[in-house]
Amino acid sequence: MSLLISAATIGFFLALMVLGVYITFRLFDFCDLTTDGSFALGAAVAAVLLTADIHPLWATLAGAAAGCAAGMLTGLLHTRIGVHGLLAGILVMTALYSVNLRIMGKSNVPLLSTPTLITLAEEFAAHRLGAPENVMVLGWAVALRDVAALVLGAGVVVAVLLLAFVFFRTDLGTAMRATGDNPVMVRALGADTRNMLLAGVAIANGLVALSGALLAQYQGFADVQMGLGMLVWGLASVIIGEALVRTRRLGLVLVGVVMGSILFRLLVAIALRWGMEPNDLKLITAVFVLVALCLPGLLERLTRRRGAADHA
Amino acid sequence: MLKATGLTKTFNAGSPNEVRALDGVTLGFDDGAFVVVVGTNGSGKSTLLGALAGEFALDGGRIDLDGTDITGWPVYRRARWIGRVFQNPFAGTAPGMTIAENLTLAARRDRRFGLARALSRRRRDLFVQKVRSLNMGLEGRLDHEIGSLSGGQRQALTLLMATWVKPRLLLLDEHTAALDPKTAAVVIRLTREIVDRDRLTTLMVTHSMQQAANLGDRLIMMHRGRIIHDIRSEEKRRLRAEDLLERFEDVRRIEALDASAADLLRSRYV
Ligand SMILES: Nc1ncnc2c1ncn2[C@@H]1O[C@H](COP(=O)(O)OP(=O)(O)OP(=O)(O)O)[C@@H](O)[C@H]1O
Ligand SMILES: [Mg+2]
C-alpha cells in the first residue's frame, strides 16, 4: 500500500512536469530539451532558498519562476536569434547544468532538517486530525506524512489543471493552441506567433521547475542529476495519457495527461518491484516512447500495403 | 486606399535560378475597388499578394495603406487591416480546433489577444447567425473540428473569417482553384455578396476567365513580374472571357517571337 501511495504521490508531482511537456510537445509541436535542465533548476533554487530559511511557499514559487526564465531563454534563442528549436533547448539545458551546480554550490543539497511544503502539510494534517502516527486508508495503516504529501500533490495538480483549463479557453490561450495547429493562419489573424511560442515555452518550463521543486521537497534532497531523462519520461506519460482518453477535447486531455503520469509512475514502481534493474529504466522508457510514437505510422503503412495487395 | 510603388523582388538573387518575380510593380486603387489579377503561371501574381501581406522583405518599393507606410510591417501587424484567403483550403483554418474556436480568433483580428473568455454565450449566438448565412448547414456543427469539413466548407469559413472584422484590404489568391466547379461557384457567389455588402477593397487572383470577366470593376494582367494590361471601368464592364483569351494569346505570341529571336541570335553568334 505504501508503495502505491508513494508512486501516486510522485505521479502527481511529476504530472506538473508532464503537463509542461504536453504544452510544448503537443500544443506547439516543439520538442523542448530545456525540460531536463529546468526540472533540476526548480529543485536547486527551491532547495537553496529552503536551507536559507525562506518560507517553503516562496522557495517553491521562486523555483517555478526560475524555470519560466529558462524557458523564455530557450524561446528567445529560437524565435529571435533563429537557433534551431532542438539546439536551443540543448544549449540551455547544458548551460543549466553548470548554473545548477553554481546555485547549489555542490551536487546535492539535503532538505531533511528544514521545513518544506511537505512538512507544513503534515503539520497541518496533524493539527486537524489530532496528531495520529498513522491514518487508515482503505483498511491499511499509512504514515500521516505520506497521506499529507499525497493530498498536497493532488491539490496542487487540481489547482494547476483548473488554471490551465481556464487559461487555454481564453482568447490568448486559444490563439496559443492554434499556433501549434496552423501558425500561418494565426499570423494572418494578427498574432505574433513568436510571442505565442515564447509564452508557451516559458509557462511549460515554469510547470516543469515547479514539479522539480516539489519532488525535491518530497524526496528530501535536490540533486543536479535529477532532471536527467525527464523529457522522455514526460513524453511516455503524455502518450499513455492520450491513449487513456482518446480524444482531443481540452479538458479530458488535461486530465488524461495527469492520469498518464500517475499510471506510468505506477507501472515503473511495479516493474522495479518485480526485479527490473533500475539502471535499465531510462533505456526501457526510451524504447517505449520510440515504439509508441512510431507504431501508429508503421501499422498504417502495413495495413495500406495489405490493402494494396488485396486489390491486386 | 492602397498605393504600391515600384515593388521589386528577386528570388535566389545571384544564383543560376534567379527569378525576378516583381519587376517594378506600381499600382494604386481607391476604397471599394474590386481588382481582378490574371496572368500566366509564374508571372508574379502570388508574389504581389505576398508582398502586400508582408510575407517577405521587398528589394525595393513602398506600400501605403490608407496613408500609412506599411512597407516594413510584419505579417501579423498588417493582419489588423488585411484579410486573406489562400489557394490551399487547408491553409486558412486550424484543423484541430473547432469551428467556433477558429471563428473566435478571427473575431479579434483587430485587437490584442487577452484573457477574456474565448467563447461566451453572446459570441456563440453571433457565430450561429453568421455561419447560418453561409447556407451550408454548419451552424449545428460549431463544436466539430474544422479538419472534418470539406475543402469548400473550409474555404467558405476562411472567407467569413477573413472578412469578419472588416478589412481595409482583402487578398484572395485563387481561392476557388482547389474546389470542384459547383463548390467554386458557391464560394464565388459568397465572395461577391460579402464584397458588395461591406464595400471591401479587394484584390483577387484567378485563372478562370469566366470569373475574371464577370467579377470586379478593374482587371490587371501580369507577365514576368510586370503589369502589362490595366483595364478599368467601362472597358472592364464590356470585357468578355474571349477578349481575355485573346490577350493571353498575344502574350504567348510575343513570348514565342522572343524565343525565336533568341534562337536566331544564338545560331549567329554562339
Ligand atoms: N519563395 C520563392 N522562392 C523562389 N522563387 C519563388 C518563390 N516564390 C515565387 N518564386 C518564383 O517567382 C515567380 C513568380 O511566382 P508566383 O508564385 O508569384 O507566380 P504566380 O503568378 O502566382 O503563378 P501561378 O499562377 O502558377 O500561381 C515564379 O517564377 C516562382 O518560381
Ligand atoms: Mg500563384
Side-chain angles (χ1 to χ4, degrees), chain B residues 182-202:
Chain B
K182 214 171 122 223
T183 320
V186 172
V187 172
I188 282 297
R189 200 199 55 205
L190 196 66
T191 308
R192 196 203 288 259
E193 273 172 24
I194 294 178
V195 169
D196 283 350
R197 185 193 62 208
D198 293 343
R199 301 178 172 284
L200 297 176
T201 313
T202 306

Side-chain angles (χ1 to χ4, degrees), chain B residues 40-42 44-47 87 173-174 205 207:
Chain B
T40 47
N41 291 117
K45 305 179 298 290
S46 296
T47 310
Q87 174 173 356
D173 191 354
E174 296 188 48
V205 175
H207 274 292

Side-chain angles (χ1 to χ4, degrees), chain A residues 20-94:
Chain A
V21 172
Y22 172 77
I23 290 173
T24 44
F25 188 68
R26 280 298 188 224
L27 294 189
F28 286 96
D29 205 5
F30 182 83
C31 196
D32 181 22
L33 278 151
T34 324
T35 306
D36 286 22
S38 53
F39 190 79
L41 176 67
V45 169
V48 166
L49 291 178
L50 283 171
T51 50
D53 279 339
I54 307 284
H55 189 281
L57 187 60
W58 298 130
T60 308
L61 289 180
C68 278
M72 211 174 277
L73 186 61
T74 303
L76 284 173
L77 287 181
H78 179 50
T79 61
R80 293 309 197 277
I81 306 183
V83 181
H84 187 279
L86 272 178
L87 182 59
I90 292 174
L91 290 178
V92 174
M93 171 189 75
T94 306

